[in-house]
Amino acid sequence: MSGVPFGAVLDSVREGSFWMPPDASVTTQFVDPVFYYILGLTTFFFVAIVAVGAYFAIRYRKRSDADRTHPSAGSHTLEAVLAIIPSILMATIFWVGFRGYINLSVPPPDALEIRTVGQKWFWTFEYPNGMVMNTSVENAKLREEAGLETGLVVPIGQPVKLIGHSRDVLHSMFVPAFRIKKDVMPNRYTSIWFEATKTGTYDFFCTEYCGKDHSRMITKVIVKEQADYDAWLEEETKNSAKPKSGSELFAQGGCTACHSLAGVAGAGPALNGLFGRDEALADGTSVKADENYIRESIVNPTAKVVNGYAPVMPPFAGTFSDEELDTLVNYIKNQK
Ligand code: CUA
């Protein structure tokens, strides 16, 4: 047994990485007991049934042709017991699960509401004061270089309601440490809530397969003390009021994931030297790459698809304001 790091296993159980992720929200109480109850129940019956089955198979095996010459009699009492007990247990599973589901669905009335927008392939969080946090991988990198944290930042001990929707396809908000998970979809809102109990940084995933860069649709939940949160929000609100540069908007949209500015073809064409060029399109026609073409290709990319590329770019209508679109078009225009 000397090779087994038993202490490490025990530690991971205690910290929650072996059975369950870390426990960092009051909402875990609606999920974990249900999980352990069902796990315990099914484990008990699995072991009991296999053990009794094995014992009977050996104890009552057919030893000779003289064994079991007539069928054994049935028992109505036994059958009734075997129907009633599992029914009661199923009802208890339904009850604890349903109660947990309802509790997860109804946030406390004083919850801080944060709108969560999913789009291919990043999350945007909109705070009640209008501050918008963009969490694309490229934007997070830029912000990290500037010493800024990126993610869903929330205060500890405060119920938070995430009101989600999607700008394109199905995505799903998932925070394992809070045991919360909810699909977001176009044309309707869904919501989920949590109340963080520990400061720290936790994963926030998209857990609905949503296309090419689904695996990059990942960010963090950062839980801060109330005072730190207030200071952070004030600072970010000031930052977000400043107009963004073209390169910042290019990063926010996650554009670099597919579009090189150095002449390398990716999932989409390279954008340097694009302006003024005649682009051959997939439908056999061609188009002069002017401001209108660039703008249309951001807002509604499948309208004119460049020959040799798949129509996979998501539409960015609604992602950028009119001013931001101007800045972005101008930025792309000037990539020589
Ligand atoms: Cu969004 Cu997967």
Side-chain angles (χ1 to χ4, degrees), residues 14-336:
R14 235 175 274 127
E15 287 158 17
S17 58
F18 184 73
W19 289 104
M20 280 285 203
D23 169 347
S25 164
V26 299
T27 44
T28 59
Q29 66 176 303
F30 307 134
V31 176
D32 294 13
V34 180
F35 174 79
Y36 287 120
Y37 176 61
I38 297 174
L39 181 71
L41 211 55
T42 49
T43 304
F44 172 79
F45 279 100
F46 174 77
V47 171
I49 288 168
V50 168
V52 171
Y55 173 74
F56 279 14
I58 294 164
R59 175 74 181 76
Y60 299 109
R61 70 188 183 280
K62 191 176 175 184
R63 291 184 172 83
S64 72
D65 285 347
D67 282 355
R68 238 168 299 143
T69 50
H70 52 83
S72 56
S75 161
H76 289 307
T77 314
L78 189 60
E79 279 174 29
V81 168
L82 290 183
I84 290 167
I85 290 178
S87 300
I88 292 172
L89 292 176
M90 290 303 285
T92 63
I93 290 176
F94 172 79
W95 174 242
V96 293
F98 182 69
R99 222 177 37 170
Y101 176 79
I102 293 297
N103 284 327
L104 277 173
S105 301
V106 184
D110 59 337
L112 168 70
E113 295 190 349
I114 299 178
R115 288 157 56 86
T116 305
V117 183
Q119 69 190 97
K120 295 191 224 174
W121 286 278
F122 55 90
W123 297 100
T124 306
F125 301 106
E126 302 173 8
Y127 285 72
N129 71 353
M131 196 279 283
V132 174
M133 166 63 63
N134 171 299
T135 69
S136 81
V137 172
E138 288 78 11
N139 196 44
K141 211 183 293 170
L142 272 189
R143 288 173 53 87
E144 197 183 344
E145 284 161 14
L148 298 169
E149 295 170 299
T150 302
L152 171 63
V153 178
V154 294
I156 190 171
Q158 159 74 52
V160 176
K161 179 185 181 187
L162 300 179
I163 304 174
H165 82 275
S166 166
R167 289 222 168 92
D168 37 50
V169 298
L170 272 185
H171 303 277
S172 190
M173 325 180 252
F174 180 34
V175 186
F178 300 167
R179 317 288 191 268
I180 58 167
K181 184 175 191 174
K182 195 83 175 190
D183 282 9
V184 301
M185 48 198 106
N187 303 322
R188 67 176 289 183
Y189 297 110
T190 52
S191 68
I192 191 94
W193 73 278
F194 62 88
E195 181 185 325
T197 52
K198 282 183 202 139
T199 56
T201 301
Y202 308 99
D203 289 317
F204 187 113
F205 295 113
C206 174
T207 182
E208 191 75 66
Y209 182 69
C210 55
K212 179 174 121 1
D213 283 340
H214 161 70
S215 60
R216 299 171 87 240
M217 199 165 166
I218 178 174
T219 183
K220 300 283 177 201
V221 183
I222 303 164
V223 180
K224 290 181 183 293
E225 297 292 346
Q226 186 70 47
D228 295 340
Y229 168 79
D230 292 340
W232 172 87
L233 186 64
E234 195 181 331
E235 181 69 29
E236 284 295 335
T237 306
K238 246 184 273 163
N239 283 345
S240 75
K242 289 183 211 140
K244 300 273 185 305
S245 72
S247 62
E248 284 170 328
L249 294 171
F250 201 73
Q252 283 195 358
C255 313
T256 28
C258 300
H259 294 290
S260 153
L261 297 174
V264 188
L271 297 182
N272 53 318
L274 168 69
F275 190 75
R277 197 164 67 193
D278 283 315
E279 283 285 78
L281 300 180
D283 63 6
T285 62
S286 78
V287 64
K288 187 153 204 80
D290 59 5
E291 286 94 342
N292 284 320
Y293 167 71
I294 295 174
R295 188 185 170 103
E296 182 185 41
S297 297
I298 297 167
V299 176
N300 181 19
T302 46
K304 297 190 176 70
V305 176
V306 176
N307 195 24
Y309 292 92
V312 290
M313 179 169 156
F316 282 79
T319 308
F320 301 112
S321 70
D322 258 10
E323 292 77 18
E324 289 175 334
L325 269 176
D326 290 344
T327 308
L328 199 49
V329 168
N330 203 44
Y331 175 73
I332 294 169
K333 179 180 163 182
N334 285 310
Q335 299 300 315
K336 302 296 182 214

